[in-house]
Amino acid sequence: MWNKAQNNTKSISFTNEYNIKCYVKICKNCNKITKNKPTKEMQIISNCMQRILNCSCGLTFVEDLI
């Protein structure tokens, strides 16, 4: 489950209004930021919590929570 979601995850970086570089993870299939429903799958890696989201296209991808 995690492998499929990780393989379908794409990171997009941008600079916010305070000139701080940020990133967001999106579904590779849709290639856009949409409202997604989270699953109950979560994990902690180092100091980052991650969860799997169900995309509107039917695939899953990973979101980082801070």
Side-chain angles (χ1 to χ4, degrees), residues 3-66:
N3 286 338
K4 275 187 175 181
Q6 286 284 2
N7 289 337
N8 192 45
T9 303
K10 178 179 179 179
S11 292
I12 296 177
S13 64
F14 61 94
T15 303
N16 68 11
E17 64 270 15
Y18 302 107
N19 206 27
I20 298 172
K21 190 168 185 173
C22 304
Y23 74 95
V24 64
K25 291 190 175 182
I26 63 169
C27 173
K28 276 185 185 177
N29 188 52
C30 294
N31 203 30
K32 60 184 175 182
I33 300 171
T34 58
K35 292 189 176 184
N36 302 289
K37 295 181 181 177
T39 65
K40 293 183 179 182
E41 296 292 324
M42 297 183 91
Q43 68 181 2
I44 297 175
I45 297 178
S46 187
N47 63 345
C48 181
M49 183 178 286
Q50 295 181 323
R51 69 179 175 179
I52 295 177
L53 297 178
N54 288 314
C55 187
S56 56
C57 72
L59 298 175
T60 58
F61 67 98
V62 177
E63 175 186 52
D64 290 343
L65 304 171
I66 309 263

